[in-house]
């Protein structure tokens, strides 16, 4: 197989732990050629998001077409999309090229509480992007927001996953980082028919900035490399587990995960 290529359509995190930066580091670690289309610049560090400067739908589409018309790609992911106009433009260009290995991380709110997706954009995310989605990776608050359901028990998670699949996502992974299990971080995978669990040992750490971006980027890298979804998910879970275990204590707040820990461990 030729060199696998992956694109991330997301926001830039100046602090380097989440967004475009996390995605490109993860692609690189997994041997995938990484490309980017930047939807917004964020001024951000380990203490939070200081400012958000969205780009324009035209700028996003032009970046994507530069890639689509020349280099091509094997898989793509979306992260912070910020507004409904950017979502509509991204959905249109995905349809135009007919790309199908599409991972959507429905980034909404940063861990410090800053808004990364406008409330008015949620409808566009559901109606425009979810029908094009191969794998949707919400955390629990995002799954609640998209479905209007309150997730307290395992059965609630399953109901939310079914509802998200009914919106058009072919696979749904509801991540367990935000649940109240003190021993394990378990992600629920729904393939439209059956449920499976991806289990990891919960690490007691504050250095979890960018976990969601890193997990979905590792998944995208696996798909770009030609792995089946199950194998790509297992690799992504092992990648994020190692990255959280090796979390980096830099800055004065929530440090980033360690993107090189997985490779070091497996060498
Ligand atoms: N403390 C932890 N220990 C082990 N695994 C964790 C921990 N926190 C999150 N995870 C795992 O990390 C991955 C990302 O999940 P999480 O729910 O944190 O995403 P997120 O909230 O979208 O992250 P982000 O802050 O980037 O938005 C999942 O596989 C989850 O199970
Ligand atoms: C740019 C960006 N994307 C995603 C997240 C979610 O972690 C973040 N904090 N910043």
């Amino acid at each position: 197989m030729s060199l696998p290529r992956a694109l991330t359509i997301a926001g830039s995190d100046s602090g380097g732990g989440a967004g475009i930066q996390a995605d490109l580091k993860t692609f690189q670690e997994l041997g995938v050629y990484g490309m980017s289309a930047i939807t917004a610049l964020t001024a951000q560090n380990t203490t939070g998001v200081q400012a958000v400067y969205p780009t324009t739908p035209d700028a996003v589409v032009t970046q994507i077409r530069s890639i689509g018309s020349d280099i091509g790609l094997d898989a793509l992911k979306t992260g912070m999309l910020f507004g409904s106009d950017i979502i509509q433009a991204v959905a249109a260009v995905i349809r135009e090229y007919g790309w199908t290995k599409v991972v959507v991380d429905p980034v909404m709110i940063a861990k410090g509480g800053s808004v990364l997706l406008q409330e008015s954009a949620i409808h566009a995310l559901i109606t425009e992007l979810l029908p094009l989605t191969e794998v949707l990776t919400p955390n629990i608050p995002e799954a609640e927001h998209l479905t209007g359901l309150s997730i307290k028990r395992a059965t609630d998670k399953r109901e939310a996953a079914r509802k998200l699949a009914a919106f058009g996502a072919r696979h749904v992974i509801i991540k367990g980082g935000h649940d109240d299990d003190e021993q394990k971080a378990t992600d629920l995978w729904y393939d439209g028919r059956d449920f499976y669990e991806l289990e990891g040992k919960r690490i007691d750490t504050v250095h979890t900035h960018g976990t969601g971006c890193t997990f979905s980027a590792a998944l995208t890298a696996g798909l770009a490399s030609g792995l089946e979804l199950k194998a790509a998910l297992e690799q992504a879970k092992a990648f994020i587990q190692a990255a959280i275990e090796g979390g980096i204590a830099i800055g004065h707040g929530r440090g980033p995960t360690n993107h090189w820990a997985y490779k070091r461990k497996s060498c």
Side-chain angles (χ1 to χ4, degrees):
M1 192 179 166
S2 55
L3 181 68
R5 303 150 299 176
L7 165 66
T8 169
I9 305 170
S12 163
D13 167 8
S14 56
I20 290 281
Q21 288 77 2
D23 296 344
L24 291 178
K25 289 174 191 180
T26 303
F27 292 165
Q28 181 79 9
E29 288 294 310
L30 290 172
V32 170
Y33 182 77
M35 299 167 284
S36 62
I38 298 185
T39 57
L41 303 177
T42 72
Q44 191 173 170
N45 57 27
T46 66
T47 69
V49 179
Q50 288 77 49
V52 172
Y53 306 96
T55 59
T56 63
D58 189 41
V60 176
V61 167
T62 308
Q63 292 172 80
I64 299 172
R65 287 220 180 95
S66 291
I67 293 158
S69 64
D70 178 32
I71 304 168
L73 56 86
D74 299 296
L76 70 87
K77 66 157 278 189
T78 67
M80 172 185 180
L81 295 173
F82 192 67
S84 61
D85 49 358
I86 293 182
I87 292 175
Q88 277 158 7
V90 167
V93 77
I94 291 174
R95 284 194 295 266
E96 179 185 323
Y97 283 96
W99 289 319
T100 55
K101 285 193 190 173
V102 175
V103 174
V104 172
D105 184 11
V107 169
M108 291 184 183
I109 295 175
K111 284 206 168 86
S114 297
V115 173
L116 303 179
L117 182 76
Q118 293 172 320
E119 194 66 32
S120 58
I122 290 177
H123 179 72
L125 183 69
I126 292 173
T127 57
E128 296 277 332
L129 208 49
L130 294 200
L132 303 172
T133 300
E134 179 66 19
V135 193
L136 180 71
T137 62
N139 62 25
I140 290 174
E142 289 158 355
E144 289 184 319
H145 221 81
L146 288 169
T147 59
L149 298 169
S150 155
I151 301 178
K152 298 268 181 287
R153 292 176 298 264
T155 49
D156 302 333
K157 261 195 210 175
R158 288 181 175 222
E159 196 186 340
R162 280 196 200 93
K163 197 162 175 185
L164 292 168
F167 288 143
R170 283 174 288 286
H171 296 265
V172 178
I173 318 293
I174 301 188
K175 297 171 294 187
H178 295 248
D179 73 21
D180 53 13
D181 185 332
E182 288 175 7
Q183 306 300 322
K184 290 177 288 177
T186 306
D187 308 331
L188 180 72
W189 168 22
Y190 179 55
D191 66 3
R193 212 184 66 179
D194 296 313
F195 290 94
Y196 309 89
E197 286 187 343
L198 295 155
E199 227 176 67
K201 182 177 174 299
R202 185 173 292 276
I203 314 298
D204 184 14
T205 176
V206 295
H207 303 309
T208 56
H209 176 60
T211 50
C213 304
T214 302
F215 175 77
S216 57
L219 174 59
T220 307
L223 294 177
S225 304
L227 295 182
E228 293 295 330
L229 182 54
K230 181 171 184 288
L233 279 169
E234 284 167 355
Q235 176 174 263
K237 188 69 177 163
F239 191 97
I240 193 62
Q241 190 77 32
I244 297 172
E245 276 169 12
I248 305 172
I250 48 170
H252 297 89
R254 194 181 288 282
T257 70
N258 183 332
H259 294 98
W260 62 87
Y262 173 76
K263 206 158 150 193
R264 288 268 166 88
K265 243 177 137 173
S266 52
C267 288

